Amino acid sequence: MAHVMTRRTKFVLDEDHIPRAWYNIAADLPVPPSPYLHPATLEPIGPADLAPLFPMALILQEVSQDREIEIPEPVREAYTLYRPSPLYRAHRLEKALDTPAHIYYKYEGVSPAGSHKPNTAVAQAYYNKQEGVRRLTTETGAGQWGSALSFAGSLFDLETKVFMVRISYEQKPYRRSFIESFGATVVPSPSSETNAGRAVLAEDPDSTGSLGIAISEAIEEAAGREDTKYSLGSVLNHVLLHQTVIGQEAIAQMEMAGDMPDVVIGCAGGGSNFSGIAFPFLRDRLQGRSSTRFLAVEPESCPSLTQGEYRYDFGDTAGTTPLLKMHTLGNDFRPAPIHAGGLRYHGMAPLVSHLYELGFIDAKAYPQNACFEAAVQFARTEGLIAAPESSHAIRAAIDEALEAKEAGEERVILFNLSGHGHFDMAAYDDYLSGKLA
Ligand SMILES: Cc1ncc(COP(=O)(O)O)c(C=O)c1O
């Protein structure tokens, strides 16, 4: 007898449905965001100021007002290695919570690096290669971004050097091996290889590092070498732009599911995976066609959106970047060494900060224990071990589902499961043995 499927768990798109263009939210903003400023003159910077660090194609994307930016064919081809990523309906989690809410998650952990980060790494490596760059430097917190860029560097034959925040370097030795397997070099940051690193070590020889310090080191090396450019894994407009493949696919998949989200949730470190899922849905909200809510979730120990000031600040610790208008805890803020290394950044993407100020985005902060509790419940119902960063989104999604239950509402919740936690088992071990701070 034929078996009739009564419910669907996975919504899967064919490779033809990989988006052909990135969505640039700048074209739809009711008020333009504040320009980046030169720290010496306090005047808006021009393309020439960024040219030592980035290829011109990315600099132009940074300031583009075009609503759609075509994805080059070699980038789409690389995306076929893992895109479109699946969208799941969390039936088992819904049942465990006994909620009338519909919970969906977009799973970016299927990429080679295990997170959303290759969506921009591949694009950045491609444009650098096109413009004759030979080497890339970058920072990595959790190791996900370093993994993504080393993978992308190997696809486009670029040498890659990764300054890895020391706490992650020590907590996650296999992330380092992963990065090295793609041919990249990994250096724990702060290091003695740069002025920025040496300055931090002189003050605090036991520094566990931070994303801000690692960024300073990577920038210093790129600025000092003709053959080298710098690559950033979050925060900047072009990075957020590349991540919009997530939300565009999710819109098509939610249509397949016959639902549209009442709330879209993402964890937020620098803001890229949150923007990636949120911006394509925000387009309708900005144009007055939807009332979907957007929720960025951050750790209590690094609460840039919920507690930070909205002002101009440097993107790195040493103060070498242009000044960015953003929510910031101060570029000298040293976050506690929580396991969600990718959320330990003092600032928030200027575009996310701007939309938060305009009232289009809400934010929430959670302590790490509450997030691991949610991640374990998720693992035991949905079968996926989430990255500690992504566990923040799970916590918020579960809380939304419990609120919906309280209110007796069939709320539709969509969150981005930005990565898997297969290299984060030490963190789960700490949680399960009650040792988590
Ligand atoms: C799995 C995962 N999620 C989220 C983040 C946070 O970055 P962003 O806010 O740019 O998405 C990271 C950063 O390393 C990450 O590895």
Side-chain angles (χ1 to χ4, degrees):
M1 203 173 78
H3 182 72
V4 180
M5 283 255 283
T6 51
R7 66 176 199 185
R8 185 170 274 234
T9 298
K10 277 197 309 304
F11 299 89
V12 181
L13 296 168
D14 189 76
E15 274 175 27
D16 294 341
H17 288 89
I18 294 174
R20 293 187 184 275
W22 293 297
Y23 167 56
N24 181 15
I25 201 166
D28 289 319
L29 293 174
V31 184
S34 306
Y36 300 167
L37 301 184
H38 194 290
T41 63
L42 297 183
E43 292 294 323
I45 58 164
D49 294 307
L50 292 175
L53 294 183
F54 301 108
M56 199 45 73
L58 294 177
I59 295 172
L60 295 178
Q61 288 181 2
E62 196 60 26
V63 294
S64 170
Q65 291 295 315
D66 298 341
R67 184 168 286 109
E68 297 199 332
I69 295 178
E70 192 182 332
I71 302 176
E73 212 37 50
V75 174
R76 278 191 88 241
E77 245 169 50
Y79 282 169
T80 62
L81 290 171
Y82 63 98
R83 300 213 74 82
S85 67
L87 179 98
Y88 288 79
R89 170 95 185 258
H91 290 293
R92 289 172 180 77
L93 178 62
E94 288 171 19
K95 186 155 179 245
L97 298 172
D98 188 27
T99 175
H102 296 189
I103 307 175
Y104 294 87
Y105 56 95
K106 178 79 165 154
Y107 185 41
E108 289 294 305
V110 296
S111 83
S115 75
H116 62 297
K117 299 282 180 180
N119 298 333
T120 182
V122 165
Q124 293 191 43
Y126 166 78
Y127 289 118
N128 273 288
K129 186 70 183 179
Q130 284 287 101
E131 295 186 27
V133 175
R134 212 178 57 73
R135 286 178 83 243
L136 291 176
T137 59
T138 196
E139 73 293 331
T140 196
Q144 288 273 18
W145 171 242
S147 301
L149 196 69
S150 62
F151 153 68
S154 74
L155 287 185
F156 291 101
D157 196 22
L158 291 162
E159 226 181 87
T160 308
K161 178 163 173 182
V162 181
F163 289 89
M164 185 169 187
V165 176
R166 187 175 294 271
I167 181 87
S168 300
Y169 185 89
E170 284 162 7
Q171 280 175 343
K172 302 192 192 185
Y174 296 123
R175 262 293 168 200
R176 169 163 50 85
S177 320
F178 186 103
I179 297 169
E180 287 170 349
S181 301
F182 287 100
T185 312
V186 187
V187 178
S189 166
S191 79
S192 54
E193 294 195 17
T194 64
N195 291 328
R198 285 189 291 271
V200 176
L201 289 174
E203 211 180 281
D204 177 10
D206 299 323
S207 168
T208 50
S210 72
L211 276 170
I213 297 168
I215 293 172
S216 297
E217 294 206 84
I219 287 182
E220 186 181 322
E221 180 163 325
R225 283 183 62 151
E226 201 49 45
D227 63 347
T228 303
K229 296 235 186 273
Y230 166 68
S231 190
L232 185 63
S234 189
V235 181
L236 296 177
N237 302 346
H238 68 267
V239 181
L240 276 44
L241 171 82
H242 300 153
Q243 293 295 352
T244 60
V245 289
I246 302 173
Q248 293 185 67
E249 288 175 8
I251 288 175
Q253 289 163 310
M254 289 300 296
E255 279 167 6
M256 283 169 83
D259 257 339
M260 266 300 141
D262 295 307
V263 57
V264 176
I265 299 170
C267 67
S272 76
N273 88 87
F274 168 74
S275 303
I277 193 151
F279 285 2
F281 286 98
L282 244 166
R283 180 175 180 169
D284 274 357
R285 167 95 185 264
L286 290 170
Q287 295 173 354
R289 290 197 301 265
S290 94
S291 53
T292 304
R293 286 184 294 123
F294 298 89
L295 181 60
V297 194
E298 53 187 17
E300 265 185 4
S301 59
C302 197
S304 53
L305 267 182
T306 52
Q307 302 277 324
E309 292 174 39
Y310 186 47
R311 62 171 169 87
Y312 273 103
D313 196 7
F314 291 103
D316 70 327
T317 301
T320 44
T321 68
L323 290 166
L324 313 178
K325 183 90 180 272
M326 61 181 178
H327 287 86
T328 176
L329 298 161
N331 75 323
D332 57 353
F333 180 77
R334 303 280 159 83
I338 55 165
H339 282 288
L343 304 185
R344 293 176 73 236
Y345 182 64
H346 66 273
M348 182 53 63
L351 276 175
V352 174
S353 295
H354 183 62
L355 285 156
Y356 181 69
E357 281 299 302
L358 293 176
F360 289 103
I361 290 173
D362 302 322
K364 213 167 180 177
Y366 284 108
Q368 66 175 346
N369 261 302
C371 297
F372 275 101
E373 185 192 5
V376 166
Q377 184 171 28
F378 185 75
R380 291 178 188 177
T381 48
E382 295 297 310
L384 292 171
I385 299 281
E389 290 81 5
S390 320
S391 73
H392 290 70
I394 300 176
R395 175 76 270 163
I398 289 179
D399 284 358
E400 283 279 342
L402 293 174
E403 274 172 40
K405 175 176 166 179
E406 196 69 22
E409 268 175 39
E410 213 180 71
R411 196 177 294 179
V412 180
I413 300 162
L414 169 64
F415 73 93
N416 197 29
L417 188 62
S418 55
H420 69 60
H422 298 175
F423 290 86
D424 301 280
M425 296 323 295
Y428 277 84
D429 203 43
D430 281 353
Y431 172 72
L432 294 169
S433 58
K435 284 193 293 205
L436 204 62

